[in-house]
Amino acid sequence: MATNRPPGDGSSSDNDSFGRQVPESVIEAQQLVRTHSKMERRKLLRYLGVGTVALAAGGAVLSQISREDPSAVAAAMNDLGDGLKMLGTNGALTVSWYAQGKDTMQHWCDIFGIELTWIDGQGDGNKQRASLDSAANRNWDLAGVTPATAGTIVDPVNTMAANGTGVFEMTSNIGGPDDRVNTLSSITQSSYLMGYQVGKLLFDSVGGRGTVINTRGVPGGSDEAGRYEGFHAALKEYPGMQLLTEDFARWDRSRAQDLWQSYLTRFPDISVAYCQNDDMAFGAMNAIDAAGRTGIKIGGADGMPDAIKAVQDGRMLATVRHSSCQIHSLPVILGVAWKLGALDGDIPPKIDVLGPVVQKDNAASVAFMQGPGVLYA
């Protein structure tokens, strides 16, 4: 899109407030922001860049490019997804990580003007399947999907993809080992590293000698399997650590608390509690506190706000940030760019996001980056 005047003609509007020459591309971007015509949505997104949009957290950064009307930026971003419909679903909103994911996807859909419909997996693959079966043939532009149970929702997901929906798999495998699932991309994070890194910290905290219990999530998913493998890889490096038992609590705080009440009766000496997510870690912590037991080192995963505070307070040794915000925002951000044809090349079949181990020294920064108004890390 051409500007109404040649670049560098000496007019004050071609210079910023410090008198510096404004590049032609920025002048054109300013013009696009001011008009935000639907015809120019693709070009606007190309100028701004998907990464810039993601980092803008709702447009605060982008407002810097519109000197005449900063408020036009929010309108321009909202116009990018105008008329698009998106379906979102994940494991169970009773799990804090999944609930934060839904809030994040809604946040970014609101920014882009996308209509989001949400299906709660309710921790039950059959219920999630029934809801998706009835929704699969509706007119969806985009979908972000995490299965409650691997292998149960392959057919409705493939139906959506066949109808032209851009489907993003989020964090855990939709299909089983022999299933073919038609997705644009799988947005995930290394669960193996989550189990390995926190496991090593826990074992080091007791000098590599003691006993440990592993509390697991939902069987069959790649996120649970990865954490299990990472934890056991770490355990092999510490011959002085004895694994007492491991059971599935299905990511659920109450189930974990019930399991740990029985463990504390069965095992008089427990050195370390490794839980595959923070909700289960709090279930274990509640049981430990109620039993009056002390000295058990607790580690989790997901890096949720209450777990970060527990790390800061010394109630948990460590957690690791499993970036719900990135995993649930990227299907929106990349999906809009894909629909507008604003990406150079295809979206990779797998996109890895990163999350740090959370200890006292970095807890505040991790909490900030997933806080209200940011919802980025």
Side-chain angles (χ1 to χ4, degrees):
M1 177 177 177
T3 57
N4 293 325
R5 59 188 181 280
D9 66 354
S11 65
S12 60
S13 56
D14 277 342
N15 296 278
D16 65 15
S17 58
F18 296 98
R20 296 172 298 196
Q21 187 72 32
V22 178
E24 174 72 9
S25 61
V26 173
I27 295 171
E28 292 192 27
Q30 291 169 342
Q31 182 69 15
L32 290 169
V33 167
R34 285 194 292 270
T35 61
H36 61 272
S37 164
K38 291 183 181 179
M39 297 287 292
E40 300 293 349
R41 290 184 294 175
R42 180 190 306 177
K43 198 169 184 181
L44 174 61
L45 195 56
R46 281 187 178 275
Y47 272 123
L48 299 180
V50 172
T52 302
V53 171
L55 287 169
V61 174
L62 297 184
S63 66
Q64 300 303 312
I65 71 168
S66 179
R67 294 168 296 169
E68 295 180 13
D69 185 9
S71 64
V73 175
M77 290 183 69
N78 190 261
D79 190 51
L80 287 170
D82 184 40
L84 298 183
K85 297 182 184 297
M86 184 166 191
L87 177 69
T89 183
N90 61 21
L93 295 181
T94 54
V95 177
S96 62
W97 190 88
Y98 288 133
Q100 186 184 62
K102 175 184 180 291
D103 290 345
T104 299
M105 187 172 284
Q106 185 68 66
H107 173 78
W108 285 95
C109 281
D110 289 345
I111 287 171
F112 285 108
I114 299 170
E115 180 183 335
L116 176 66
T117 298
W118 191 266
I119 291 174
D120 182 5
Q122 302 180 66
D124 187 317
N126 292 325
K127 290 180 179 178
Q128 188 183 39
R129 169 64 185 262
S131 296
L132 286 175
D133 278 341
S134 64
N137 280 307
R138 292 169 58 187
N139 185 27
W140 306 109
D141 297 287
L142 302 168
V145 177
T146 303
T149 306
T152 57
I153 59 171
V154 173
D155 288 344
V157 167
N158 283 340
T159 296
M160 287 190 287
N163 290 337
T165 304
V167 180
F168 290 85
E169 179 182 78
M170 302 184 300
T171 203
S172 187
N173 54 301
I174 293 172
D178 300 322
D179 291 322
R180 179 177 177 82
V181 186
N182 296 316
T183 59
L184 279 180
S185 187
S186 178
I187 300 174
T188 188
Q189 184 176 334
S190 174
S191 287
Y192 179 93
L193 281 178
M194 295 181 210
Y196 181 78
Q197 291 171 329
V198 174
K200 283 183 67 70
L201 284 171
L202 287 167
F203 303 149
D204 284 338
S205 73
V206 294
R209 302 189 64 83
T211 56
V212 57
I213 292 174
N214 176 23
T215 307
R216 303 176 65 180
V218 173
S222 54
D223 46 358
E224 191 286 322
R227 293 176 208 193
Y228 176 85
E229 292 168 4
F231 167 80
H232 276 272
L235 185 62
K236 286 180 181 178
E237 298 178 12
Y238 294 82
M241 295 299 304
Q242 177 191 357
L243 179 63
L244 296 175
T245 189
E246 48 190 357
D247 296 289
F248 294 102
R250 304 185 65 85
W251 311 124
D252 185 76
R253 186 178 303 214
S254 295
R255 289 174 186 257
Q257 185 166 338
D258 290 344
L259 283 173
W260 271 85
Q261 286 171 347
S262 68
Y263 297 155
L264 293 163
T265 301
R266 290 166 54 194
F267 302 111
D269 181 21
I270 304 171
S271 308
V272 167
Y274 172 64
C275 300
Q276 288 188 341
N277 80 344
D278 292 335
D279 285 4
M280 296 189 299
F282 276 104
M285 192 185 304
N286 290 342
I288 292 167
D289 290 345
R293 296 277 286 269
T294 59
I296 300 175
K297 304 294 186 181
I298 302 171
D302 287 346
M304 298 301 294
D306 54 353
I308 293 173
K309 187 174 188 308
V311 169
Q312 291 174 311
D313 295 342
R315 299 170 63 215
M316 284 178 65
L317 178 72
T319 181
V320 60
R321 179 55 180 157
H322 183 203
S323 184
S324 173
C325 297
Q326 290 186 60
I327 288 168
H328 287 81
S329 65
L330 285 174
V332 183
I333 297 164
L334 295 176
V336 169
W338 173 75
K339 285 294 292 185
L340 295 178
L343 295 172
D344 292 327
D346 295 332
I347 299 174
K350 182 180 178 184
I351 295 175
D352 291 311
V353 303
L354 301 174
V357 173
V358 182
Q359 295 183 275
K360 286 186 178 182
D361 60 348
N362 68 339
S365 66
V366 178
F368 173 80
M369 289 303 292
Q370 62 177 287
V374 180
L375 289 174
Y376 181 70

